[in-house]
Amino acid sequence: MIALGKKQELTVAKVVDFGVYLGEKETAGEKDTVLLPGKQVPEGTKKGDKLSVFIYKDSQDRLIATTREPKLFLGETAVLRVAQVSRIGAFLDWGLEKDLFLPYKEQTKKVHEGEEILVALYIDKSSRLCATMKVYHYLQTDSPYAQGDTVTGLVYEISDNFGVFVAVDEKYSGLIPKQEAQGNYKPGDELTCRVTAVREDGKLTLSAKKKAYIQLHEDAESVYEIIQEFEGELPFDDKASPEIIQREFGLSKNAFKRAVGHLLKEKKIEMKNGKIYAR
């Protein structure tokens, strides 16, 4: 069976002036073949030869074969560049002559021309290949990573209930749990994380925090820099509300208090009258 969205080896069933027709076997009938246009037919190709091709649809919605390699296959994920934005959706460069359509309903945020976004490839109700930014169910759960490994990934969704969803290596399923997700994250952010657990279903539990003593030092440096941005006088101290601390520093109140304590110990700051001053 000729499969849409996949690469497969097919046999030349018929040679014509404008290309070759490919099927699962040399004797395939017209209904069971697909055209490989002449400009992509390797020189010297003859009936009975086998060719490795990718199957998609042309601008007239007809099955077509290509020897070019697309940047993703059916059910896979990849980062693609937005080639054009129109009233009906966006079109993505995926390495083929015809750009890949990303419908508006499959966008999780507004996209812009030239932007690179993470998408998956699926077949819509009209039997056309389309892209979706809703990649959760397409991400793999057979990563090679173990607890303690350092990984990189892209943020693709933020959930108030669960946390920050991350596509590790752009293809494996990862999550920074809500209680760990301290910071200002947005879809498209590239993160370096530590694997804190590999769940039974293969999904990765992640932390963007480093080991405690490293994280404390980095948090303290970040807090000190922001105090300096306030011209050396922060208008509140470590008794401020968690909301204010999160807004200004992207830290939990406990992490902020630890960082402030570290800076006090190093005598880089002082606290008085409900404010923090850089020394």
Side-chain angles (χ1 to χ4, degrees), residues 48-230:
D49 286 352
K50 294 184 181 297
L51 297 176
S52 181
V53 294
F54 177 76
I55 308 298
Y56 68 120
K57 288 191 174 182
D58 64 14
S59 56
Q60 297 184 343
D61 226 23
R62 298 172 300 192
L63 282 180
I64 194 86
T66 178
T67 54
R68 295 174 67 175
E69 185 92 359
K71 295 179 181 177
L72 81 167
F73 298 93
L74 185 65
E76 293 183 353
T77 56
V79 173
L80 302 180
R81 183 181 62 83
V82 179
Q84 181 185 0
V85 177
S86 72
R87 289 180 295 177
I88 59 172
F91 293 88
L92 311 178
D93 175 10
W94 64 322
L96 301 184
E97 290 184 357
K98 180 188 174 187
D99 289 334
L100 179 63
F101 182 50
L102 170 64
Y104 271 125
K105 65 181 180 65
E106 296 298 329
Q107 298 178 20
T108 57
K109 69 179 187 71
K110 187 175 182 180
V111 301
H112 305 278
E113 188 174 325
E115 180 181 6
E116 293 192 334
I117 56 175
L118 180 69
V119 296
L121 182 64
Y122 75 102
I123 298 175
D124 72 3
K125 293 180 180 178
S126 300
S127 298
R128 297 174 300 180
L129 290 172
C130 291
T132 178
M133 295 174 71
K134 302 171 184 177
V135 300
Y136 178 81
H137 295 291
Y138 297 92
L139 293 173
Q140 300 176 31
T141 56
D142 57 348
S143 84
Y145 299 114
Q147 184 177 352
D149 286 347
T150 298
V151 298
T152 59
L154 288 176
V155 174
Y156 66 90
E157 186 177 340
I158 311 291
S159 168
D160 291 336
N161 294 325
F162 299 104
V164 179
F165 289 93
V166 178
V168 173
D169 295 345
E170 301 169 5
K171 62 180 179 179
Y172 299 118
S173 183
L175 172 69
I176 303 175
K178 181 179 178 181
Q179 64 272 20
E180 283 281 323
Q182 300 296 330
N184 299 313
Y185 300 101
K186 62 183 184 300
D189 283 351
E190 185 172 346
L191 303 179
T192 298
C193 299
R194 184 164 45 89
V195 178
T196 58
V198 179
R199 292 174 29 176
E200 287 186 6
D201 59 7
K203 295 176 182 177
L204 304 174
T205 301
L206 308 173
S207 173
K209 297 178 181 179
K210 300 178 181 177
K211 291 183 178 179
Y213 69 94
I214 300 175
Q215 189 67 47
L216 174 59
H217 177 75
E218 292 189 358
D219 288 348
E221 287 297 314
S222 175
V223 168
Y224 188 67
E225 287 176 7
I226 293 173
I227 292 172
Q228 290 180 315
E229 290 174 5
F230 276 87

